[in-house]
Every structure is written in structure tokens, then in C-alpha cells.
Amino acid sequence: MKIKALKFKKPKVKMPKNREVSEISDQKVWLTVLKGSLIALSVSLVSILIFAFFIKYVAVPTSAIKPINQVIKGLSLFTGTFIALKKIDKMGLINGLLIGLVYTILAFIVFSILDGHFEFTKSLVNDLLFGGLIGGICGVIAINFRRKTN
């Protein structure tokens, strides 16, 4: 009696092209981050311009300028994050955090150019932390608000 060796066939499994899917989703994430950051920067520039005209005609205490600037940054980030993430349904924290950080860097560059000099200080680190934190919070709010309205 002869014993034949068993031959196993490898099953043909079609693997999804994860690389292509990953590249598309990465590209979409970065476009979303850039879109949100640019919207936030635009809102911030317009708001600062309006605030500057307001300061010119109304006596505003010097001690109130920094807190008002932080409020403007926060509202700008909320607007940019909310608009950019309206078609995204996951990863609100990460996307918001990235939008906040990119916005802060872009705002630093733009306002430094307008001011005429670049100055790296402790306040830049504070702004990066504030931007990331507020962006992350706004991202979570935007994603959850969108889910509840659907």
C-alpha cells in the first residue's frame, strides 16, 4: 500500500490595497487639516482687524487685549474646525489637534511677518499648547454635534 503525500493548496485571498486606501485617507486628512487651519486663520485675521478698529475708537484697557486675542483665537479655531470636519465622522480629537497646531504655526508666521520680526518666546509654546488643546476639544465637539444632527 502506497501512501501519497498530501498537498495543500494555498487559498487565494485577495488582499485589499491598503497602501492606496491609506494614501487616500492620509491625503484627505491633511487636506482637511489645511482647510480648517486656513479657515481659522482667515477668521482670525478678519477678527483682529475688526478688533484693531474697535480699539482705535474705544478706550480698551491694555490688560484686556491679550485675553480678547485668546478668545478670538479660540473662536477662529472653533469655526475652522467645525467647517473642516463637517464631512468627517471619526478622529475628531486628532484632526482638531492637528488643525489647532497648524493654525498656531501659520498664525505665528503671518503675524510675525506683519509685525516685522520673528520672536521665539515662551508665549509661542503656550500658544501651541492652547491651539492644540482648543483644536482637539473643538474637533470632538464638531464630530459629536454632527452625529447627533444626523
Side-chain angles (χ1 to χ4, degrees):
M1 180 160 124
K2 286 188 178 180
I3 298 178
K4 291 184 179 181
L6 295 174
K7 293 184 181 179
F8 294 103
K9 290 183 180 179
K10 288 185 179 178
K12 292 186 178 181
V13 177
K14 225 177 190 183
M15 297 298 286
K17 297 179 181 179
N18 288 338
R19 175 175 263 164
E20 291 177 10
V21 172
S22 176
E23 287 175 3
I24 291 170
S25 64
D26 287 347
Q27 185 179 21
K28 186 176 179 182
V29 166
W30 286 111
L31 285 175
T32 301
V33 168
L34 186 62
K35 177 182 174 183
S37 300
L38 291 176
I39 290 170
L41 185 63
S42 300
V43 171
S44 185
L45 284 169
V46 170
S47 299
I48 293 292
L49 184 65
I50 292 169
F51 182 57
F53 282 126
F54 183 75
I55 287 176
K56 186 174 182 180
Y57 296 112
V58 178
V60 176
T62 309
S63 61
I65 292 176
K66 282 193 177 194
I68 292 173
N69 280 337
Q70 292 297 345
V71 169
I72 289 172
K73 288 178 187 177
L75 292 175
S76 299
L77 264 172
F78 181 76
T79 305
T81 304
F82 199 82
I83 291 172
L85 297 181
K86 70 179 176 185
K87 293 185 180 178
I88 306 294
D89 59 351
K90 58 183 177 179
M91 292 185 12
L93 178 67
I94 303 299
N95 287 322
L97 178 79
L98 290 173
I99 289 171
L101 292 175
V102 171
Y103 159 76
T104 304
I105 292 168
L106 288 176
F108 171 73
I109 292 170
V110 168
F111 288 115
S112 292
I113 289 171
L114 291 174
D115 192 29
H117 70 285
F118 289 85
E119 188 176 336
F120 297 99
T121 61
K122 183 181 173 186
S123 67
L124 176 61
V125 175
N126 290 337
D127 283 346
L128 282 169
L129 291 173
F130 177 77
L133 179 68
I134 296 298
I137 292 169
C138 292
V140 169
I141 291 171
I143 297 297
N144 289 320
F145 181 78
R146 186 179 166 276
R147 283 187 187 161
K148 284 192 176 189
T149 58
N150 286 340

